Amino acid sequence: MKKTVKDIDIKGKKVLVRVDFNVPMEDGKITDDFRIVSSLKTINYLLENGAKVVLMSHLGRPKGEYNKKYSLKPVAERLSELINCEVKFLETEVPANGDTVALADSLKEGEIMLLENTRFVPGEEKNDAELAKLFARHGEIFVNDAFGTAHRAHASNVGVSSLLPAVAGFLVEDEIKYIGNNLDNPSHPFVAILGGAKVSDKIGVINNLLEKCDSILIGGAMANTFLAAKGYDMGKSLVEEDKICLAKEILKKAEEKGVNLLLPVDLIATDSLEKSTNIRVVGLGDDMKGVMAVDIGDETIASFSKIIKDAKLIIWNGPMGVFENEKFSKGTFSIAKAIAESNAISIIGGGDSALAVKLSGYEEKVSHVSTGGGASLEMMEGKTLPGIAALMEA
Ligand code: ADP
Ligand code: MG
């Protein structure tokens, strides 16, 4: 286990915190402050315990140069409102310089500032040693609470971790606890539910889970490629032709390892996603000429739900259908319901899956919805994330 903010003395110390304030913006306005709200637990803990807090984050992709569009100023303002206290912010064209260091030095206990976008300089994404040193001058302790970038070695996470005592914030701690620990030491029956757009995005995840779980339930467009591998004509469905061989290998591997791999037995099909006309249920082997599979059918929902019911640990990545369209959301939302009704520890990873669970209304009933897209996938692949590896061991 990694050290967390609770394991170190922070009173009176300058604490540099890497947060994930990469919020969606439109015309300079924040359209969803979920990520800011999520980081309040760590921020408030530090402020209440007498730290001098210096926050840093990236926002969007300014490609290593200043761009007002990606300024964190609106974020500093929103955070000020949320914590009801001034968040000091210098409008600089670089994330850090002598002025920001001086401002950090002038902070009193319980005061807080935010640096400008870490990606306003090219050194951030190159994990440049000089930039990391400059960042490190803003703190005596480093806290990483940005899980979304933990799979990248950047100056503001990995770089500073080698220069300051580095610990996890509460968000990162949760991700390690749920995804890391449960995968290292799974309870059984362990059921993996996989879906989404492509097999190719998730090969690493499938391979790692094949080693650990008892059942794998596959839906979404991913299932189309597996069904094609079993010889079914999938009509106009999204199938990755160049991954059919791989799907065959995975099917074989599952059999060898005694993993119960389930594919859909019925599907919801339509002529076209745009018009969503001629919607009908198709069984395996039915003529799919001119139609595409866009959701799992009722029989599949029932068979997947039965396995979910008895699970002790569930990992879900990838929606069961085109859930963005209400007409094709039943499969995904029904699986969310089955997970919510089970007694299993349930972990949801992946950006679209997190959104799907939220829309289903069952978010509160699952154990953990990961805040990282790419980072949670890499963790599910069993990879060591550089941003986490760089933190001190407890
Ligand atoms: P995550 O972000 O959770 O890892 P993905 O990005 O892999 O998930 O997949 C999500 C996308 O997959 C959604 O936009 C959804 O519409 C799409 N999808 C799911 N099932 C199908 C299908 N049968 N045909 C086409 N697209 C699908
Ligand atoms: Mg996605």
Side-chain angles (χ1 to χ4, degrees):
M1 196 54 206
K2 294 292 181 179
K3 274 199 179 162
T4 76
V5 278
K6 290 225 156 144
D7 298 320
I8 43 159
D9 185 15
I10 51 169
K11 183 155 172 57
K13 300 264 174 63
K14 266 187 305 174
V15 181
L16 176 63
V17 193
R18 175 58 159 102
V19 282
D20 181 358
F21 284 165
N22 185 26
V23 291
M25 305 256 279
E26 248 168 59
D27 303 325
K29 295 231 157 46
I30 298 165
T31 54
D32 182 353
D33 65 0
F34 173 73
R35 286 194 167 146
I36 308 176
V37 172
S38 304
S39 54
L40 292 181
K41 197 175 162 201
T42 298
I43 294 171
N44 284 329
Y45 175 83
L46 293 169
L47 292 174
E48 282 159 16
N49 287 281
K52 305 165 181 175
V53 179
V54 182
L55 305 173
M56 62 177 166
S57 175
H58 77 285
L59 172 64
R61 296 177 185 275
K63 302 201 175 103
E65 57 186 52
Y66 177 72
N67 183 340
K68 195 165 190 290
K69 193 176 140 200
Y70 297 110
S71 170
L72 281 166
K73 188 163 184 244
V75 174
E77 286 163 3
R78 181 74 191 112
L79 179 62
S80 294
E81 289 167 12
L82 287 168
I83 60 176
N84 214 353
C85 135
E86 186 203 357
V87 176
K88 297 177 198 292
F89 183 81
L90 296 181
E91 286 180 61
T92 48
E93 295 199 355
V94 287
N97 59 22
D99 294 339
T100 57
V101 172
L103 181 60
D105 284 338
S106 75
L107 290 179
K108 298 192 185 67
E109 285 184 19
E111 288 189 337
I112 179 165
M113 66 181 275
L114 171 65
L115 297 178
E116 198 31 297
N117 195 333
T118 54
R119 292 192 185 167
F120 278 171
V121 283
E124 161 69 338
E125 292 181 79
K126 292 183 188 140
N127 191 10
D128 177 73
E130 288 307 313
L131 181 63
K133 268 189 217 160
L134 179 57
F135 285 148
R137 285 173 64 198
H138 296 78
E140 296 160 87
I141 291 166
F142 174 64
V143 175
N144 190 353
D145 212 20
F147 182 69
T149 49
H151 59 315
R152 304 276 180 249
H154 290 168
S156 69
N157 61 353
V158 172
V160 285
S161 294
S162 63
L163 301 167
L164 297 173
V167 299
F170 294 122
L171 285 177
V172 166
E173 181 191 16
D174 257 7
E175 301 282 359
I176 302 173
K177 204 166 83 188
Y178 279 103
I179 311 184
N181 294 2
N182 279 306
L183 276 176
D184 286 347
N185 215 340
S187 304
H188 295 275
F190 175 12
V191 177
I193 308 163
L194 299 173
K198 291 175 176 176
V199 180
S200 48
D201 290 345
K202 314 278 170 77
I203 298 165
V205 178
I206 303 175
N207 277 326
N208 188 38
L209 294 177
L210 266 178
E211 301 293 330
K212 298 171 187 278
C213 63
D214 304 289
S215 298
I216 300 189
L217 316 178
I218 299 183
M222 183 189 276
N224 297 337
T225 302
F226 278 91
L227 291 170
K230 292 195 116 182
Y232 295 108
D233 178 4
M234 299 305 293
K236 283 205 304 187
S237 304
L238 184 61
V239 171
E240 283 174 284
E241 298 289 342
D242 61 334
K243 293 292 173 295
I244 290 179
C245 268
L246 180 84
K248 283 183 185 160
E249 274 171 39
I250 292 169
L251 291 170
K252 197 166 146 240
K253 201 163 151 193
E255 204 174 307
E256 283 163 7
K257 295 199 174 287
V259 174
N260 178 26
L261 190 152
L262 260 70
L263 294 171
V265 288
D266 58 347
L267 297 155
I268 306 301
T270 180
D271 309 2
S272 119
L273 266 182
E274 291 70 40
K275 289 185 249 132
S276 32
T277 43
N278 194 13
I279 299 171
R280 60 175 193 261
V281 184
V282 293
L284 294 184
D286 285 0
D287 184 9
M288 287 194 61
K289 200 157 175 276
V291 295
M292 54 168 68
V294 284
D295 197 7
I296 55 174
D298 286 345
E299 268 188 60
T300 306
I301 293 173
S303 79
F304 284 11
S305 300
K306 207 166 148 228
I307 292 187
I308 291 168
K309 192 167 176 276
D310 297 324
K312 287 271 176 354
L313 174 63
I314 297 169
I315 283 199
W316 182 16
N317 170 254
M320 296 290 101
V322 185
F323 72 97
E324 297 91 339
N325 183 332
E326 196 193 341
K327 291 178 183 146
F328 313 128
S329 62
K330 186 179 177 192
T332 302
F333 292 174
S334 303
I335 293 305
K337 179 168 188 270
I339 294 172
E341 286 170 355
S342 77
N343 292 318
I345 299 170
S346 49
I347 300 161
I348 319 295
D352 292 292
S353 307
L355 175 65
V357 172
K358 194 172 174 181
L359 295 176
S360 76
Y362 293 104
E363 192 182 12
E364 297 300 316
K365 293 268 170 64
V366 301
S367 315
H368 180 69
V369 180
S370 177
T371 52
S376 57
L377 283 189
E378 289 202 14
M379 209 161 188
M380 288 180 182
E381 286 176 33
K383 284 191 187 160
T384 308
L385 309 190
I388 291 176
L391 305 176
M392 293 189 293
E393 283 297 329

